[in-house]
Amino acid sequence: MPSYKLSYFNLRGFAEVSRLIFAAAGEKYEDVRYERDQWPAHKDEMPLGQMPVLEVDGVKLPQSAAIARFLAKQFHLAGKDNFEQAQVDAVVDTIYDLLKAFIPSRREQDEAKKEELTKKFFGEELPKHLQNLETLGKLYGNGGHFFVGNQLTWADLLFQNFAETFVGMNADCLNNFPWLQKNRAEVEKQPRIAEYLKNRPKTEI
Amino acid sequence: MPSYKLTYFNGRGLGEVSRLIFAAAGQKFEDVRYERDQFPAHKAEMPLGQMPVLEVDGVKLPQSSAIARYLAKEFHLAGKDNFDQAKVDAVVDTVGDSFKGFIPTIFEQDPVKKEEIKKKFFTDDLPKHLQNLETLGKLYGNGGHFFVGNQLTWADLYFYNFAQTYIEAEADCLNNFPWLKQNRAEVEKQPKIAEYLKQRPKTQF
C-alpha cells in the first residue's frame, strides 16, 4: 500500500474532492493543511509553487484535477472502463467550466462590481452550466442518480463539493435542477461520505 | 475496432491534440470540420452545444481534454501506469493554465489594447508557465526529451500544439527554454507525426 500525503490550505477548495475520494474509499492519508500565513514557508517545497500537491511514496504530483483523477483510479471511483472514465472526465470538465465562470466574481475587489458579477453568475451563467450537467447526467447516468454508469464516481464528489459552496452563497440556486439536487442527496447519504461530512473541519469555501 | 468521428471547427484549436493522437497512433477516424458559419446549423447536435465532440460507435463525448485523454488511453499514449498517467495529466493541466492567459489576446478587439495584453502575456505570464513545464519535464522525464517516462505521450502532443500557437504570435517565445524546444523537435521528427504535419490542412488557428 503506497503512503499518501495531501498538502493544501485549511480549506475545501480545489483539494476537497481528493479528501472526499479518500473518504469514500475508506483510505488513509496524511491531510496536511496550511493556514495562509504558514504557506510562504512551504511554497518552495511544491513543484510549481502551488497547492494542492499529492505525495505518493515521496514523489510529488501537482494539479488538483490530476491528483483527484489518480486517486479515483487507484480506488475504483473513476468509471469502470476507458469510455466511462471519459464520460466522468467530461462531467468533471463541465464542473470546472462552471468554476471558471465563478472565479472573476471572487477575485473582484471593488464591492459594487463584485456584487454585479456575482448577480450575473447566479442569474445567467450558473443555470447554463447546471443545465449542461443535468444533460450529461441524463445522457450517461443509465437512469440512475449518479452522473455516470449508475455508480458513485469522483464526478459526483466534485459536484457535491462545489454545489455546497454555491448553495451556501445562494440557497435557491439548485431549485430548478431536481436531478442535481437528487444527485447531491444521493452522494451525501453514502455512509462513509456522511461520516466524513460530519467530522471534517468546517470552512467557508 | 470502434468507429471514431471527431467534429470540430476547421482549425487546430482545442481539437488538434486529438487529431495528433490519431496520427501518432496511425488510427483512422472521420475528421469532420465546420467553418464558423456552418456551426450554428449543427450546434443542437452537440451534447453541450459546443465542439469538439467525439462520437464512438454512435455515443457522443464532449470536452476536448476528456476526448484526448480517452483516445490517448485507447492508443497507449497516456502513460504506462496510473501514476505516469497522473504525471501526464499534471503536464497537460499546466499547459492549459498557460493558455488561460492567452485567451484575452485572441478576443480583444481594440488593436492598441490587444498589443498591450499580448506584450504582457509574453513578457510576464508565459515565461512562468514555461518554467513550470520545464520543471515537470525534468522531474518526470527520466532524463529524456519527452515530458513523462521517456516515451511520447499526449502531454507532448498537447504542448506541441499550444506552443505552435504561441510561436505564431511571438516567434522567440521559447528561446530561453531549450528543454522545451528540444521536446518539440523530438515530437516533430516522429515519422507518423512528421507525415501528418506535412499533410494536414493549414488553418488560421
Side-chain angles (χ1 to χ4, degrees):
Chain A
M1 191 94 289
S3 74
Y4 301 106
K5 178 163 99 170
L6 181 70
S7 298
Y8 191 56
F9 296 103
N10 184 21
L11 298 170
R12 293 183 288 112
F14 289 109
E16 191 64 12
V17 62
S18 289
R19 298 188 186 117
L20 285 162
I21 291 167
F22 278 119
E27 291 282 337
K28 293 203 183 323
Y29 68 109
E30 196 184 340
D31 183 16
V32 176
R33 293 166 178 257
Y34 294 127
E35 299 299 339
R36 287 204 180 276
D37 57 358
Q38 294 174 301
W39 160 236
H42 296 278
K43 193 174 155 75
D44 286 343
E45 297 163 17
M46 314 301 165
L48 307 184
Q50 297 175 312
M51 299 191 292
V53 167
L54 179 73
E55 210 171 308
V56 184
D57 286 343
V59 183
K60 290 178 185 170
L61 183 72
Q63 295 289 7
S64 61
I67 291 168
R69 185 178 298 103
F70 166 73
L71 293 171
K73 279 153 75 184
Q74 288 290 97
F75 307 137
H76 311 295
L77 288 165
K80 72 178 198 304
D81 58 30
N82 193 8
F83 197 53
E84 270 200 5
Q85 290 186 4
Q87 293 168 349
V88 170
D89 285 346
V91 174
V92 163
D93 284 352
T94 304
I95 296 168
Y96 283 125
D97 282 349
L98 169 51
L99 278 177
K100 275 182 211 142
F102 180 55
I103 283 167
S105 66
R106 294 297 89 205
R107 295 237 162 103
E108 179 57 59
Q109 303 283 15
D110 177 295
E111 279 303 319
K113 265 184 145 181
K114 192 182 177 84
E115 174 91 22
E116 194 184 313
L117 285 172
T118 303
K119 203 162 162 239
K120 184 167 187 280
F121 172 75
F122 280 104
E124 294 167 28
E125 287 159 28
L126 180 63
K128 220 173 47 190
H129 288 97
L130 294 179
Q131 188 55 62
N132 282 343
L133 286 169
E134 283 212 347
T135 296
L136 294 183
K138 289 167 184 171
L139 186 60
Y140 299 142
N142 289 9
H145 298 300
F146 297 117
F147 276 109
V148 178
N150 240 327
Q151 57 181 114
L152 181 76
T153 67
W154 70 290
D156 304 294
L157 300 177
L158 186 70
F159 178 69
Q160 189 282 332
N161 181 59
F162 288 107
E164 181 164 338
T165 298
F166 295 137
V167 169
M169 292 178 64
N170 185 324
D172 298 328
C173 67
L174 291 188
N175 282 6
N176 294 330
F177 299 95
W179 192 96
L180 293 175
Q181 287 181 314
K182 192 64 163 90
N183 168 270
R184 193 183 159 204
E186 206 61 35
V187 169
E188 288 174 1
K189 72 185 204 205
Q190 303 292 300
R192 287 186 182 139
I193 304 283
E195 186 63 23
Y196 172 71
L197 293 177
K198 214 170 55 172
N199 292 322
R200 70 176 173 184
K202 303 284 171 274
T203 59
E204 195 199 333
I205 57 165
Chain B
M1 188 94 289
S3 74
Y4 300 107
K5 179 163 96 172
L6 181 72
T7 305
Y8 189 56
F9 293 104
N10 183 23
R12 294 181 294 108
L14 298 177
E16 190 66 10
V17 63
S18 289
R19 297 188 187 116
L20 285 163
I21 292 166
F22 278 120
Q27 288 285 338
K28 295 202 182 320
F29 69 109
E30 194 184 341
D31 183 15
V32 178
R33 293 166 178 259
Y34 293 133
E35 300 298 340
R36 287 202 180 280
D37 57 0
Q38 292 175 299
F39 175 58
H42 295 278
K43 192 173 154 78
E45 298 163 12
M46 315 298 164
L48 307 183
Q50 294 175 313
M51 302 191 293
V53 168
L54 180 74
E55 211 172 306
V56 184
D57 287 342
V59 184
K60 291 178 184 171
L61 183 71
Q63 295 289 9
S64 59
S65 293
I67 292 168
R69 184 178 300 102
Y70 165 73
L71 293 171
K73 278 151 77 184
E74 287 289 291
F75 307 139
H76 311 296
L77 286 166
K80 72 181 199 303
D81 57 29
N82 193 9
F83 199 48
D84 265 13
Q85 289 185 4
K87 293 171 187 171
V88 170
D89 286 346
V91 173
V92 164
D93 285 352
T94 304
V95 176
D97 284 347
S98 78
F99 196 66
K100 281 181 203 145
F102 185 73
I103 290 171
T105 72
I106 303 173
F107 290 111
E108 179 56 57
Q109 301 288 12
D110 179 301
V112 171
K113 262 185 142 183
K114 192 182 176 91
E115 193 57 38
E116 198 182 306
I117 301 175
K118 222 181 104 177
K119 190 154 173 255
K120 186 166 186 291
F121 172 76
F122 283 106
T123 312
D124 297 340
D125 196 12
L126 183 62
K128 257 184 345 218
H129 296 289
L130 295 178
Q131 189 54 64
N132 282 343
L133 286 166
E134 284 210 349
T135 296
L136 294 183
K138 289 166 184 172
L139 186 60
Y140 300 143
N142 289 9
H145 297 300
F146 298 117
F147 276 108
V148 178
N150 241 325
Q151 57 180 119
L152 180 76
T153 67
W154 72 288
D156 304 293
L157 301 177
Y158 198 81
F159 174 67
Y160 184 83
N161 180 61
F162 284 102
Q164 176 172 349
T165 299
Y166 299 148
I167 291 165
E168 283 173 4
E170 178 60 55
D172 297 332
C173 66
L174 291 191
N175 280 7
N176 295 331
F177 300 96
W179 193 95
L180 295 175
K181 282 178 104 162
Q182 180 65 55
N183 168 270
R184 287 192 89 240
E186 210 60 38
V187 168
E188 276 174 336
K189 69 187 204 202
Q190 303 293 300
K192 289 181 179 142
I193 304 282
E195 185 63 25
Y196 171 72
L197 293 177
K198 220 171 49 173
Q199 314 269 36
R200 69 177 172 178
K202 302 288 172 273
T203 54
Q204 243 188 346
F205 63 93

